Amino acid sequence: MQFKRRLYVAIHIGLTVALALVGGIVYATETINNPEVRARVELMQGLKAQMKLLGETAAGAQPFDADKVSAAIAALQQGADAVAPAFRPKADDPASQALPEIWASPAEFRQKTAKLVKTVAALDGSDQGALAGTLDPVLAACKDCHGRFKMQ
């Protein structure tokens, strides 16, 4: 039981760090003039919302609800699949936090987004423990990509 509690605390801390990395996109999308950039920001905000729900559930901060977890995983899978295509056009906006390295290193960016898709596909939402055990690789994929391609 002690191990399980420590695992949940570790996941909660990891989620907090990941959300802090993603948190920079919380600014209002109406300040973004470029519609392609606005769509990317909205996509990332959607991913963030799903990760928040899954992280809080895995950490025990909210009760496990199989339907909510299943819906969040499905939305996360759909969103993860949309990340690479959302950055194909080189669209910029002063409010964007996407670094130009995304377009300067497209193969590396595609590799990192493919890793996200793979880790999201491996999520197991059958119960709280299974979710907790499969969420860390998703968090690591988010952090890896944002560490390289997002303005800090």
Side-chain angles (χ1 to χ4, degrees):
M1 190 66 170
Q2 182 77 318
F3 172 75
K4 206 173 195 184
R5 174 106 174 106
R6 285 186 195 161
L7 177 64
Y8 294 145
V9 169
I11 289 171
H12 190 69
I13 290 169
L15 177 65
T16 302
V17 170
L19 290 178
L21 291 172
V22 177
I25 62 171
V26 172
Y27 55 83
T29 56
E30 58 269 3
T31 63
I32 300 171
N33 295 319
N34 185 312
E36 290 173 338
V37 174
R38 183 179 300 114
R40 286 195 318 240
V41 169
E42 289 170 355
L43 170 65
M44 299 308 278
Q45 287 175 333
L47 293 172
K48 178 182 174 184
Q50 303 313 319
M51 287 299 293
K52 181 177 189 298
L53 184 143
L54 294 174
E56 288 177 356
T57 301
Q62 41 176 299
F64 183 84
D65 180 324
D67 291 335
K68 284 184 181 179
V69 168
S70 179
I73 290 173
L76 200 57
Q77 288 171 337
Q78 183 178 5
D81 287 336
V83 171
F87 285 88
R88 283 206 184 109
K90 186 178 187 307
D92 199 14
D93 190 279
S96 176
Q97 293 183 317
L99 293 173
E101 284 83 352
I102 290 173
W103 298 280
S105 303
E108 181 184 0
F109 182 71
R110 283 191 308 274
Q111 179 266 331
K112 290 184 185 303
T113 59
K115 183 178 177 183
L116 173 66
V117 170
K118 182 179 178 181
T119 59
V120 168
L123 280 172
D124 182 350
S126 59
D127 61 41
Q128 184 180 11
L131 179 61
T134 56
L135 194 57
D136 276 345
V138 179
L139 293 169
C142 294
K143 184 178 178 181
D144 182 40
C145 193
H146 288 181
R148 171 77 170 100
F149 294 114
K150 180 180 177 247
M151 220 179 295
Q152 301 300 318

